[in-house]
Amino acid sequence: MVVFAGQGDARRSMALLWRTPGPGEARPGPKPGLSVDVIVDAAIAVADADGMAALSMRAVGERLGRTGMALYTYVPSKSELVDLMHDRVLGELPVHYGLEEGWRAAATSWARDAWAFYLRHPWVLQVSQARPVLGPNEYAMLETVLRILRGTGLEAGVLRRVVGTLFHFVRGVAQTAAESRQAPATTGVSDDEWWLARSALLREAVPDFADRFPTVAWLESGAVEAPVDEDEAVPYLEREAKKTFEAGLTVLLDGIEAAVDRAGLPSR
Amino acid sequence: MVVFAGQGDARRSMALLWRTPGPGEARPGPKPGLSVDVIVDAAIAVADADGMAALSMRAVGERLGRTGMALYTYVPSKSELVDLMHDRVLGELPVHYGLEEGWRAAATSWARDAWAFYLRHPWVLQVSQARPVLGPNEYAMLETVLRILRGTGLEAGVLRRVVGTLFHFVRGVAQTAAESRQAPATTGVSDDEWWLARSALLREAVPDFADRFPTVAWLESGAVEAPVDEDEAVPYLEREAKKTFEAGLTVLLDGIEAAVDRAGLPSR
DNA sequence: CTGATATCTTCAGGACGTGAAGAGTCGGCT
DNA sequence: AGCCGACTCTTCACGTCCTGAAGATATCAG
């Protein structure tokens, strides 16, 4: 489920996102029993607990002791609610990273924080990035990363793409890790069980595997690693994703350093 | 909508994926009017045309002049159908890349082919990668990339993560590009209109933008580029994504070269 | 107190996946 | 030749989703 943003009245969305004060005067009618804030918080709680698929207007309403329809007084539609959830939760990300140890150390810290954030709120990865909602925390996050990477001295046009690449990388790998974490819960099968069953079936269905995919077979034969210092509480696939993340981050930052060197600037 | 894989009878899934011949004998009952193949093709057509959200059993059935329920004779569930679609469509990817010009040229070609593929079938990006289905074309793709990058001489453990990083990068950026392409169609608003309207509203709602996000403001002020050689048929956001893709690919491959150098091996 | 307005509920309509039941079709055995 | 049983496909049903419309209730301005 990719959720798109801001279909409704764009001006109202902006006002909700940036908290432009509304009418604000005393008005007739019953006192509001809810508010946009408590609704957004409840929605985030639902999504954190049971995933985006479980995020329904009813579920959010019931968490607040109302029906689903009650929310429509405060929020124009589910789509806008998702926008608000997204921007709100992005506020958890740190925004201050010291540059005393150079941009590379700061960028590494940020990437790791973002990684942890995405695993804490995996549903964020299902909100479409194509047309960002342009909320305050989204800009704060962009500002943070730009400030860090401006230290590279790269020219603005290049910088923008480098930042985009970094975002996409973190999101991409985190997405796989998040789905790995979600899978055992929704399917009731642990990673190890799953992998064991699947590879057995694969051998059965494809006896000539090693002939058809020699390089894959070579890779898997050499895949046995010393299980040193592994956190057994973290399931296999998620551990793998984390390793890919760390390795990929190194590669990516090496590549950025290469770009900096090529531009004839000192690395720090 | 993230679609998970293979909930049903795992053995039957494997057989469907790898085309292990079934009973195959003449059997009583009406002749099958459909087949797994035509169903999968129809489903791919639906997903290509209207996206994963529009992929319903009913929609696929109607495209074939049947009801949705008719499909359940051939395919155990929607989830398995998605698996079959995924693996089938991966067969479009080329598998042969010459290494005469070195691994970097081949990797670049592969990445660009994969990019085009994902934009041709954007729904593929919504199929979860966490627990891959292990179909023939999935392995063929892995085999292809591994063969290319084995030319780096990197050790197996590192290689696996580098390949993972490359996959995630291509998928991640392509996902944004694909959603960009999808957005105008589903919202009826072009990228330019959307951006214009949004930034106007943003200025209106946040007059002190440049003070709050100075680095972002700096970046956007320097964002005016010579519009040389641009394909006007490709909308703005997708063009941006493509540029990020190309720049990121360069950075990534530079990073891989750095890893190769560090391992004390010649770059080609 | 009255009328206007806001909140919240109930009902309804059209989507979705898929289980169960039944109609119709055809191969193979008696 | 005739019928049984396997097979395809449809219809109905249930529980889920979002959300428009209508109505009950609560509160404030005058």
Side-chain angles (χ1 to χ4, degrees):
Chain A
M1 172 196 315
V2 174
V3 186
F4 270 104
Q7 312 285 39
D9 177 357
R11 176 164 281 105
R12 180 159 174 208
S13 310
M14 273 292 174
L16 281 171
L17 271 169
W18 292 86
R19 293 291 133 92
T20 305
E25 300 312 305
R27 288 163 314 173
K31 288 227 156 61
L34 300 175
S35 70
V36 175
D37 279 340
V38 304
I39 290 175
V40 171
D41 283 343
I44 290 173
V46 170
D48 282 347
D50 303 322
M52 202 62 153
L55 180 77
S56 68
M57 298 305 269
R58 281 210 255 279
V60 178
E62 269 161 30
R63 179 172 279 257
L64 296 166
R66 305 291 144 90
T67 65
M69 284 308 285
L71 310 183
Y72 285 92
T73 308
Y74 303 87
V75 161
S77 75
K78 184 180 178 181
S79 153
E80 319 273 356
L81 175 58
V82 171
D83 292 349
L84 292 168
M85 293 165 64
H86 183 207
D87 198 77
R88 157 91 94 167
V89 84
L90 280 180
E92 283 183 17
L93 277 171
V95 292
H96 293 300
Y97 291 87
L99 287 169
E100 305 82 29
E101 301 178 41
W103 61 264
R104 181 159 184 154
T108 303
S109 295
W110 175 83
R112 289 193 182 130
D113 287 343
W115 169 271
F117 165 79
Y118 284 130
L119 285 197
R120 209 160 53 236
H121 303 293
W123 52 270
V124 171
L125 297 163
Q126 291 175 50
V127 180
S128 167
Q129 287 304 99
R131 292 186 173 183
V133 181
L134 309 187
N137 290 320
E138 188 158 6
Y139 272 115
M141 165 162 136
L142 181 57
E143 173 78 14
T144 300
V145 179
L146 279 176
R147 211 182 315 133
I148 292 172
L149 286 180
R150 203 179 176 178
T152 58
L154 288 171
E155 171 246 328
V158 180
L159 191 56
R160 187 165 45 172
R161 267 114 209 184
V162 166
V163 169
T165 299
L166 187 57
F167 277 139
H168 287 303
F169 166 73
V170 177
R171 272 183 74 99
V173 190
Q175 193 161 8
T176 297
E179 287 165 6
S180 302
R181 179 175 290 187
Q182 197 183 355
T186 60
T187 67
V189 182
S190 85
D191 283 353
D192 294 324
E193 290 162 359
W194 171 82
W195 182 252
L196 220 64
R198 281 277 154 169
S199 51
L201 284 169
L202 188 63
R203 268 195 302 275
E204 180 181 317
V206 197
D208 57 342
F209 186 91
D211 293 329
R212 291 175 63 177
F213 309 104
T215 319
V216 176
W218 163 78
L219 187 78
E220 289 184 351
S221 72
V224 215
E225 296 182 4
V228 182
D229 200 26
E230 303 222 318
D231 185 355
E232 282 301 328
V234 180
Y236 172 69
L237 288 175
E238 187 181 331
R239 233 162 39 213
E240 277 303 306
K242 183 67 198 284
K243 286 178 191 164
T244 298
F245 169 72
E246 289 291 341
L249 186 59
T250 303
V251 168
L252 209 52
L253 296 178
D254 283 350
I256 297 177
E257 284 196 354
V260 173
D261 290 344
R262 201 166 336 154
L265 296 158
S267 164
R268 62 184 58 183
Chain B
M1 172 195 317
V2 174
V3 186
F4 269 103
Q7 311 285 41
D9 177 356
R11 177 164 281 104
R12 179 161 175 206
S13 310
M14 274 290 173
L16 281 171
L17 271 170
W18 291 86
R19 293 292 133 94
T20 306
E25 299 311 305
R27 288 166 314 174
K31 288 227 156 59
L34 301 174
S35 70
V36 175
D37 279 339
V38 305
I39 290 174
V40 171
D41 283 343
I44 290 174
V46 170
D48 283 346
D50 304 321
M52 202 61 155
L55 181 76
S56 69
M57 298 304 268
R58 289 205 241 278
V60 176
E62 269 160 32
R63 180 172 278 255
L64 297 166
R66 305 293 144 89
T67 65
M69 284 309 282
L71 309 183
Y72 284 92
T73 307
Y74 303 89
V75 161
S77 75
K78 183 180 179 181
S79 154
E80 318 273 356
L81 175 57
V82 171
D83 292 348
L84 292 169
M85 293 166 63
H86 183 205
D87 198 76
R88 153 94 104 194
V89 84
L90 281 180
E92 283 183 16
L93 278 171
V95 292
H96 293 301
Y97 291 87
L99 288 169
E100 305 83 28
E101 302 177 41
W103 61 265
R104 180 157 185 154
T108 304
S109 296
W110 176 83
R112 289 192 181 132
D113 288 343
W115 170 271
F117 165 79
Y118 284 130
L119 284 198
R120 210 158 53 235
H121 303 293
W123 52 269
V124 171
L125 297 163
Q126 291 176 51
V127 180
S128 166
Q129 288 302 100
R131 292 187 174 183
V133 180
L134 310 188
N137 290 320
E138 188 158 5
Y139 272 116
M141 165 162 136
L142 181 57
E143 174 76 15
T144 300
V145 178
L146 279 177
R147 212 183 313 133
I148 292 172
L149 286 180
R150 204 181 174 176
T152 57
L154 288 171
E155 172 247 327
V158 179
L159 190 56
R160 188 167 42 174
R161 266 112 210 187
V162 166
V163 169
T165 299
L166 187 57
F167 277 139
H168 287 302
F169 166 73
V170 177
R171 273 183 73 100
V173 190
Q175 193 160 8
T176 297
E179 287 165 6
S180 303
R181 179 175 291 187
Q182 198 183 356
T186 58
T187 66
V189 182
S190 85
D191 282 354
D192 294 325
E193 289 162 0
W194 171 82
W195 182 252
L196 219 66
R198 282 278 154 167
S199 51
L201 284 170
L202 188 64
R203 267 194 303 276
E204 181 180 316
V206 197
D208 56 343
F209 186 90
D211 294 329
R212 292 175 64 177
F213 309 104
T215 320
V216 176
W218 163 77
L219 188 79
E220 288 184 350
S221 71
V224 215
E225 296 182 6
V228 183
D229 201 25
E230 302 223 319
D231 185 353
E232 282 302 329
V234 180
Y236 172 70
L237 288 176
E238 189 181 328
R239 233 162 38 213
E240 278 303 307
K242 183 66 198 283
K243 287 178 190 164
T244 299
F245 169 71
E246 289 291 341
L249 186 59
T250 302
V251 168
L252 208 53
L253 295 178
D254 283 350
I256 296 177
E257 283 196 355
V260 173
D261 291 345
R262 202 165 346 167
L265 295 160
S267 165
R268 63 184 57 183

